[in-house]
Amino acid sequence: MLTLEIPRDILEAMMEQARIEFPIEACGILAGAGPRVQRLYRMTNVDQSGGHFMMAPVEQFRVVKEIRASGLQMLAIYHSHPATPARPSTEDIRLALTPGVACVIVSLQNRDRPVARGFDIRDGRTAEIEMRIVNAP
Ligand SMILES: [Zn+2]
């Protein structure tokens, strides 16, 4: 089972971005050395939609290069669900083309209490992964 360790400030930055970009889906990349997340990269949702997202390809290319150059790995792609639960949609499952990279979803269904959950999606199957929130050193 995949596990992610997410420092509390990164979790909060992800939720803050979801609130700022509401009602559009926010998206981005978490990088680190498995399982520990060390960096968050905010990405632009070029779809500008509240129902799906696509990361801007130019940004994605630049970030993937930067992650590699710093000797880290891409651990997760995150996005927000402005109005639906923190569960992968049919489209999230269909478009998950990066096995081994977790799918993290922040739900703002209850805007006062955002919820983040992580999933391992491969071959059309979804398994929830453990997300441990840690206090960063
Ligand atoms: Zn989604």
Side-chain angles (χ1 to χ4, degrees), residues 25 79 81 89 92 105:
E25 284 196 8
H79 69 284
H81 281 178
S89 65
D92 291 335
I105 300 176

Side-chain angles (χ1 to χ4, degrees), residues 7 9 36 134-137:
D9 57 338
R36 173 65 80 101
V134 295
N135 290 310

